């Protein structure tokens, strides 16, 4: 029965508190630091996305660290003590060690709760792409899909969650060492906006170097036209997340809503949370939709 288990994830899925509540998804909070001070990623309760990105723009140092096995153990055990089974999805293992921590905790607890099902699945997704997958799993659970079937569905379909990210400011990519100072300087000088996606093994990979914000927005839209399930007849949902650049996200959403008449509702626009945003800084937009399976 669907009510016999809990569907769970980490706050790195970049959903809002309202969305978690509506979808019936439990979550465990990730962690970050701002100028050496530790914070819990509690979906903006302690610090709003606006405050976080303003601090970064003003030069604040950021750091993220994964949820450790003991935290997962305590969180999981609360659910098991309710007499529920558990299906937990983690942030992509290609980005974080969170999956390994959750798996270690689950392995310990299986010995102590042999009658409970405890599944941990690597989402191979990031930001609201992770949340996009959780949204679908919640729908399937609500329709009555059992835990074993839902786990299998997640593993079979997670690579159909397409991610396209672009950034209009390379400052924090340079600061974090993901782009060399020379390349970053030239990129900023030439107004280059890298277009990235998430690979088959869940890593964030730069794919194209595109000059100007207007062109990179068009290119992200073009990627969806080329890859969306059913192409122009796409009937799924679309999520976009952004880091303090809502207007850019809105421009992309307008293009999508104008082209895909059968889409399921309007584009959902969320904030990029601290887990990804601490590394990209402000100026990043990410697009998520169902599409052709990732192969590279």
């Amino acid at each position: 029965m669907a009510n016999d288990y809990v569907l769970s994830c980490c706050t790195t899925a970049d959903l809002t508190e309202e969305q978690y509540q509506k979808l019936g998804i439990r979550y465990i909070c990730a962690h970050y630091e701002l100028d050496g001070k530790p914070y819990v990623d509690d979906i903006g309760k302690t610090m709003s996305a606006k405050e976080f990105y303003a601090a970064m723009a003003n030069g604040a140092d950021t750091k993220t660290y994964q949820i450790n096995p003991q935290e997962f153990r305590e969180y999981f055990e609360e659910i098991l003590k309710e007499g529920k089974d558990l299906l937990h999805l983690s942030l992509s293992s290609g980005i974080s060690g969170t999956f390994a921590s959750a798996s270690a905790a689950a392995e310990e607890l299986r010995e102590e709760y042999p009658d409970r099902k405890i599944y941990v699945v690597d989402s191979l997704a990031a930001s609201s792409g992770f949340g996009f997958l959780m949204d679908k799993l919640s729908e399937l659970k609500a329709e009555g899909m059992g835990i074993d079937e839902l786990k299998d569905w997640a593993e079979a379909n997670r690579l159909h969650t397409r991610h396209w990210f672009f950034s209009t400011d390379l400052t924090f990519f340079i600061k974090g060492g993901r782009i060399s100072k020379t390349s970053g300087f030239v990129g900023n000088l030439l107004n280059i906006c890298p277009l990235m996606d998430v690979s088959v093994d869940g890593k964030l990979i730069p794919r194209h170097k595109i000059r100007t914000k207007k062109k990179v927005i068009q290119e992200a839209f073009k990627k969806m036209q080329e890859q969306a399930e059913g192409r122009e007849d796409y009937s799924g949902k679309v999520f976009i997340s952004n880091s303090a650049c809502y207007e850019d996200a809105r421009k992309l959403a307008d293009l999508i809503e104008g082209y895909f008449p059968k889409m399921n509702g309007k584009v959902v626009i969320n904030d990029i949370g601290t887990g990804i945003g601490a590394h990209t800084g402000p100026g990043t937009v990410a697009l998520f939709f169902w599409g052709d399976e990732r192969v590279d």
Side-chain angles (χ1 to χ4, degrees):
M1 296 292 292
N3 291 331
D4 292 335
Y5 69 96
V6 167
L7 181 60
S8 166
C9 67
C10 319
T11 51
T12 45
D14 289 349
L15 296 173
T16 65
E17 179 70 32
E18 182 181 3
Q19 287 169 323
Y20 282 119
Q21 295 296 326
K22 181 179 178 181
L23 296 171
I25 296 172
R26 299 264 198 107
Y27 61 83
I28 181 172
C29 295
H31 309 280
Y32 67 98
E33 289 184 3
L34 195 64
D35 278 340
K37 183 179 178 180
Y39 292 87
V40 174
D41 176 14
D42 55 6
I43 325 176
K45 297 183 183 71
T46 303
M47 179 181 294
S48 70
K50 183 178 180 180
E51 292 171 314
F52 177 74
Y53 290 116
M56 290 190 76
N58 288 328
D61 289 323
T62 57
K63 179 182 179 181
T64 58
Y65 47 102
Q66 68 195 47
I67 304 164
N68 65 48
Q70 182 59 33
E71 289 175 283
F72 272 118
R73 179 188 169 88
E74 293 172 1
Y75 167 71
F76 289 165
E77 193 163 25
E78 286 182 9
I79 295 168
L80 299 174
K81 286 180 176 178
E82 296 172 12
K84 302 282 189 178
D85 293 333
L86 171 67
L87 173 57
H88 178 83
L89 273 78
S90 77
L91 176 65
S92 173
S93 60
I95 293 173
S96 166
T98 305
F99 173 67
S101 292
S103 297
E107 188 63 31
E108 285 185 10
L109 288 168
R110 287 188 191 104
E111 296 181 8
E112 298 176 30
Y113 294 84
D115 296 329
R116 295 265 67 85
K117 293 178 179 179
I118 311 168
Y119 296 137
V120 177
V121 173
D122 183 353
S123 72
L124 296 175
S127 188
S128 291
F130 180 11
F132 183 73
L133 178 58
M134 295 304 300
D135 179 86
K136 181 62 176 180
L137 296 179
S138 175
E139 286 184 2
L140 295 173
K141 181 177 184 291
E143 291 169 5
M145 188 176 286
I147 188 170
D148 296 287
E149 189 179 358
L150 192 63
K151 169 186 174 291
D152 292 343
W153 192 96
E155 292 177 336
N157 290 276
R158 58 191 170 181
L159 293 179
H160 286 281
T161 57
R162 297 310 304 243
H163 302 54
W164 285 100
F165 292 73
F166 64 82
S167 180
T168 57
D169 185 349
L170 304 182
T171 302
F172 295 93
F173 289 86
I174 301 166
K175 193 173 182 180
R178 284 167 295 280
I179 294 177
S180 71
K181 290 183 179 180
T182 302
S183 296
F185 175 78
V186 173
N188 278 335
L189 189 67
L190 296 178
N191 201 16
I192 290 175
C193 305
L195 184 62
M196 303 160 275
D197 76 347
V198 172
S199 66
V200 68
D201 53 356
K203 296 178 180 178
L204 187 59
I205 307 293
R207 300 293 188 183
H208 308 284
K209 296 178 181 178
I210 299 171
R211 292 188 67 179
T212 77
K213 181 192 299 186
K214 182 178 180 180
K215 288 182 180 178
V216 78
I217 289 173
Q218 286 286 343
E219 187 62 25
F221 170 54
K222 181 181 176 182
K223 291 296 186 185
M224 183 171 175
Q225 289 177 301
E226 295 172 346
Q227 297 173 346
E229 185 178 79
R231 303 304 188 254
E232 66 271 17
D233 290 326
Y234 180 73
S235 59
K237 294 181 181 180
V238 178
F239 281 17
I240 292 177
S241 56
N242 77 102
S243 55
C245 51
Y246 177 84
E247 290 183 3
D248 296 337
R250 186 65 258 170
K251 288 176 183 177
L252 178 57
D254 288 344
L255 290 173
I256 292 166
E257 289 173 357
Y259 184 83
F260 295 97
K262 298 179 182 179
M263 191 174 70
N264 184 356
K266 298 291 186 179
V267 174
V268 176
I269 302 179
N270 286 341
D271 292 318
I272 294 177
T274 58
I276 302 297
H279 303 286
T280 67
T284 296
V285 173
L287 167 65
F288 312 101
F289 56 91
W290 293 109
D292 299 337
E293 185 172 7
R294 288 177 256 158
V295 294
D296 61 358

